[in-house]
Amino acid sequence: MNFFSGIAASRGIAIGKAHLYNYKFQVPKYNISDIQIDAETDRFYDALRKVEQDYKKLKMDLEKEASEDTAKLFDGSILLTKDHTFINEVLTRLREDKKNIEWIVYDVSDTIFKKLIILDDEFFRDRAVDFLNFGKRLVNTMLLEKSQSLADIDSDVIVVSNDLAVSDTANMNRQHVLGILTELGGATSHVAIVAKSLKIPAVLGVKDICSKIKESDLLIVDGYSGKTFINPDEKTLIFYKKERERFENSEKKFLSIREKPSVTLDNRAIALKVNMEIPYQEIDLAMDVGSDGVGLYRSEFLYLSNKDKKLPSEEQQFNAYKFILEKFSPKPVTIRTIDLGGDKILEGYTERELNPYLGYRAIRLSLDKPKMFRDQLRALYRASIYGNLQIMFPMITGVDELAKIYKEIQNVKKELTKNSIPFSNDVKVGTMIETPSAAMLSDFICAKSDFVSIGSNDLVQYTLAVDRNNDRVSYLYQPLHPSVIRMLKLIIDGAHKANIKVSVCGEMGGDMKGLLIFIGLGIDEVSTGVNNIDLVKKIIRSVNYSEVKDLVDSLFIFDETSKIEKELDKWISKHLKHLI
Ligand code: PEP
Ligand code: MG
């Protein structure tokens, strides 16, 4: 039995067989002889036919699942299977280079991709991505591999990977993924967030784990402590099976409070909302927990989960937003415009950068791509008549960005009015405060926002200059750091001075100590993943606001995280012992 330790990223115990998953795309390259050219040509034509069938099937599936318009997106891909220029280029290169056909196809499609992706025209950039995906599908088909995707998993497994892409998790088959184990990643990475939302136990940041595990090894993943066991002995297995049962029962313990309001013992109401990423997988869980609405829908997941890696059309977005608004109506649903970039890579639009979190991300991308932004705003406003919509913007650093956003909103509204397309006039527009700059300017920003929401995941990383995804510096990622708490006070006081509501939608709001800080500072709303809602409500209903306020006020004399933690621990063991 081998035992390893990592970052406990999503609560729960998973016991199951390992499935090694690596999204890195590797293509073999070797020489062939003249007499092999005909056979390689036949393999190429067979693969073209097979890929054409695959696309046709995907199109039919989408016609059933989404709209006809969305399904039509596959027409272009189907045409690629008959593209004479591409086919002739591949066959010429095959004869000239005398390399295996998979390599030639990969190289030709990659060259076309690189030529098109740099053109300053979205049509060609879309085609570039089409070509890349088409090339990969052809190569995979020729390698007789199923296009590897977590959506294809059809038996219960624990997914083991070097670095899972967020887009992988967006398509993952939740029914069969028992647990997640990765070499890279942090507790507030988006892989961790999705795992929590889907209630999948996860341990991240276990160094070199992939090299130690073979396909189908038996694993235990302990999402509480971060422990991982490979081929455990009988005693450990029995212990963890009991722990798993205990975990499931402890979850049930809270079910009775779902109908009760989220209010402190001394009657201070704190609205409790859910965060969502993948509505079609999460909606039942989210509706069941008895929330006051959706405090954060990370709309970029719609882009990341799009089957053919294309941007979702306005129509597709409209349908997705309408779906979630109708489900929760009349409760508010806060939809955040796309936050791509950072660890959320959308091929062809964002890429791995040197400093991904300081780069081309979130609102910067939206403002740089007016058509993309306008499509999203149009879809949102069109959907607004189906429920109680609030729109929120990520990664704002100053009021100049707000001015640009509001101008776009005015343009979209004017256009809809001109075309007699209905939309609601009651849509509230809010700002995420997740950069130190926005926090320092919270008086100005709050004066120009209907509400604000604190993105503590980013605010902590930017305040402390610690990459939230980097397990090597995870010990420095301290949400209870004195500088963070000062920053939070500034934001919450700023919002209240401007007479607007302030919520928290980062992971810190779902953690017992973090939540106490927010309650004490006077937060109006908490939005958290479905897996935390019951516990958060239980905590809110177990404390007196006035006492928590005194506690938090007393923390400002401390200059180190450890001292603050110690005070909170003391308080928790006195007042919330029953919940630990
Ligand atoms: C945050 O930063 O706290 C947040 C909620 O946004 P995300 O985790 O998607 O960056
Ligand atoms: Mg954020």
Side-chain angles (χ1 to χ4, degrees):
M1 173 178 79
N2 282 317
F3 155 72
F4 299 90
S5 225
I7 297 167
S10 174
R11 290 198 309 265
I13 310 278
I15 303 176
K17 286 189 176 168
H19 172 56
L20 285 157
Y21 176 77
N22 189 355
Y23 69 93
K24 283 193 193 92
F25 188 72
Q26 280 177 354
V27 187
K29 180 181 180 184
Y30 49 89
N31 294 328
I32 58 165
S33 62
D34 282 336
I35 51 166
Q36 285 175 298
I37 287 180
D38 282 351
E40 292 292 272
T41 307
D42 287 348
R43 287 180 63 217
F44 176 50
Y45 278 115
D46 283 350
L48 283 170
R49 270 193 296 274
K50 167 93 184 38
V51 168
E52 184 187 357
Q53 296 309 321
D54 286 353
Y55 280 137
K56 284 186 174 160
K57 179 164 181 323
L58 281 168
K59 184 180 169 191
M60 263 161 51
D61 290 349
L62 265 190
E63 273 165 356
K64 278 186 234 138
E65 281 173 32
S67 66
E68 250 179 63
D69 275 357
T70 312
K72 276 195 189 129
L73 293 174
F74 275 96
D75 287 344
S77 304
I78 294 169
L79 282 179
L80 289 182
T81 63
K82 301 193 184 319
D83 186 316
H84 288 299
T85 320
F86 170 72
I87 294 173
N88 290 338
E89 173 69 9
V90 167
L91 295 178
T92 310
R93 286 274 312 276
L94 177 68
R95 281 188 296 270
E96 284 171 2
D97 296 4
K98 296 198 186 104
K99 294 273 183 293
N100 57 314
I101 188 72
E102 298 89 347
W103 171 257
I104 300 286
V105 167
Y106 166 73
D107 201 37
V108 172
S109 50
D110 191 54
T111 309
I112 297 174
F113 169 77
K114 285 182 179 139
K115 267 190 203 152
L116 294 178
I117 200 73
I118 50 167
L119 298 179
D120 194 19
D121 183 315
E122 269 190 37
F123 174 80
F124 288 115
R125 289 171 65 92
D126 271 356
R127 296 293 76 74
V129 178
D130 285 348
F131 247 107
L132 193 71
N133 286 327
F134 169 59
K136 284 183 180 182
R137 198 174 270 275
L138 268 177
V139 172
N140 274 335
T141 305
M142 287 185 287
L143 292 172
L144 292 178
E145 281 174 9
K146 232 184 184 185
S147 176
Q148 212 195 12
S149 152
L150 292 183
D152 297 335
I153 289 179
D154 52 10
S155 62
D156 291 356
V157 290
I158 292 177
V159 173
V160 182
S161 176
N162 167 264
D163 181 16
L164 217 49
V166 179
S167 53
D168 290 327
T169 61
N171 283 316
M172 175 164 76
N173 185 347
R174 169 178 165 241
Q175 306 304 328
H176 292 302
V177 178
L178 301 175
I180 292 176
L181 180 60
T182 66
E183 293 186 351
L184 304 176
T188 59
S189 66
H190 287 91
V191 170
I193 287 169
V194 173
K196 281 192 243 188
S197 290
L198 298 179
K199 295 193 164 196
I200 298 174
V203 172
L204 310 185
V206 189
K207 284 194 182 34
D208 300 328
I209 195 74
C210 291
S211 62
K212 315 223 162 52
I213 294 177
K214 292 190 300 305
E215 187 75 12
S216 296
D217 272 350
L218 183 64
L219 302 181
I220 296 173
V221 169
D222 177 354
Y224 287 108
S225 66
K227 287 181 191 157
T228 297
F229 298 85
I230 306 174
N231 296 322
D233 57 33
E234 197 57 23
K235 209 169 120 206
T236 312
L237 197 58
I238 291 171
F239 172 79
Y240 271 100
K241 279 187 178 164
K242 282 202 186 123
E243 279 296 285
R244 187 173 57 182
E245 207 173 302
R246 202 168 64 84
F247 166 72
E248 281 161 8
N249 290 337
S250 73
E251 292 264 293
K252 286 184 200 139
K253 211 170 61 190
F254 293 134
L255 296 185
S256 59
I257 65 157
R258 290 192 172 176
E259 304 300 316
K260 297 189 179 145
S262 171
V263 36
T264 61
L265 292 172
D266 50 354
N267 260 330
R268 184 179 168 86
I270 300 175
L272 184 49
K273 298 182 178 170
V274 278
N275 288 352
M276 294 186 78
E277 287 78 38
I278 314 167
Y280 79 96
Q281 297 225 41
E282 289 170 283
I283 198 86
D284 294 338
L285 290 171
M287 306 282 302
D288 269 4
V289 287
S291 71
D292 297 309
V294 177
L296 167 66
Y297 167 36
R298 291 178 162 99
S299 68
E300 61 274 13
F301 276 79
L302 191 61
Y303 290 57
L304 292 166
S305 60
N306 215 11
K307 286 202 171 134
D308 211 24
K309 295 208 160 63
K310 283 187 179 164
L311 294 186
S313 63
E314 180 187 318
E315 209 52 30
Q316 204 180 352
Q317 294 191 62
F318 164 74
N319 285 325
Y321 305 148
K322 175 172 174 270
F323 170 73
I324 184 166
L325 282 162
E326 281 181 333
K327 285 277 184 191
F328 277 89
S329 180
K331 292 177 182 170
V333 172
T334 313
I335 302 184
R336 175 177 78 181
T337 59
I338 52 164
D339 182 359
L340 291 164
D343 62 348
K344 287 173 283 195
I345 307 293
L346 185 65
E347 234 170 293
Y349 295 88
T350 59
E351 49 193 55
R352 291 207 180 262
E353 297 179 319
L354 219 49
N355 284 309
Y357 284 111
L358 302 182
Y360 192 61
R361 185 187 164 190
I363 200 66
R364 298 169 183 186
L365 173 66
S366 295
L367 291 176
D368 187 49
K369 300 241 165 285
K371 160 127 183 23
M372 193 166 163
F373 192 36
R374 223 167 293 143
D375 282 353
Q376 177 160 41
L377 289 174
R378 274 179 64 94
L380 283 165
Y381 275 93
R382 281 176 54 205
S384 64
I385 55 170
Y386 295 95
N388 183 353
L389 172 68
Q390 308 197 135
I391 306 178
M392 185 159 81
F393 299 96
M395 217 191 158
I396 299 297
T397 53
V399 290
D400 42 343
E401 285 158 335
L402 293 183
K404 287 182 192 152
I405 292 167
Y406 297 159
K407 199 165 151 214
E408 270 314 324
I409 291 178
Q410 285 317 321
N411 288 341
V412 163
K413 283 183 172 179
K414 256 192 230 154
E415 200 180 83
L416 292 176
T417 308
K418 198 170 122 204
N419 295 314
S420 307
I421 299 173
F423 62 90
S424 163
N425 274 314
D426 299 324
V427 177
K428 287 200 176 123
V429 174
T431 305
M432 283 196 77
I433 308 269
E434 51 183 350
T435 63
S437 173
M440 297 306 291
L441 298 178
S442 50
D443 51 343
F444 291 135
I445 287 183
C446 292
K448 291 180 187 297
S449 308
D450 293 330
F451 65 94
V452 290
S453 188
I454 300 173
S456 57
N457 304 335
D458 280 315
L459 189 65
V460 173
Q461 83 161 339
Y462 293 132
T463 303
L464 300 175
V466 180
D467 181 344
R468 65 194 259 195
N469 260 21
N470 188 338
D471 46 287
R472 295 172 75 179
V473 287
S474 60
Y475 67 99
L476 291 171
Y477 189 93
Q478 298 170 0
L480 300 172
H481 195 285
S483 64
V484 173
I485 296 177
R486 273 152 209 254
M487 196 75 85
L488 296 176
K489 181 166 169 52
L490 189 70
I491 302 166
I492 295 171
D493 290 350
H496 289 159
K497 250 190 224 147
N499 263 325
I500 61 167
K501 291 248 164 41
V502 50
S503 68
V504 51
C505 59
E507 296 303 291
M508 189 175 169
D511 165 80
M512 190 180 279
K513 290 179 203 157
L515 178 63
L516 288 175
I517 300 286
F518 281 112
I519 296 174
L521 291 175
I523 201 85
D524 300 300
E525 290 184 10
V526 176
S527 189
T528 188
V530 279
N531 65 327
N532 283 331
I533 292 274
D534 295 336
L535 179 65
V536 168
K537 195 188 272 183
K538 194 88 191 159
I539 296 170
I540 291 172
R541 291 180 58 82
S542 304
V543 299
N544 273 303
Y545 162 64
S546 59
E547 286 175 13
V548 183
K549 181 179 182 317
D550 289 345
L551 164 74
V552 174
D553 283 347
S554 76
L555 298 176
F556 283 82
I557 56 163
F558 296 113
D559 56 359
E560 276 180 45
T561 309
S562 58
K563 295 176 191 165
I564 292 173
E565 281 203 12
K566 209 164 130 200
E567 286 303 301
L568 288 166
D569 280 333
K570 255 197 308 194
W571 197 91
I572 288 169
S573 57
K574 191 162 159 212
H575 295 88
L576 292 174
K577 205 167 179 182
H578 61 294
L579 294 180
I580 328 176

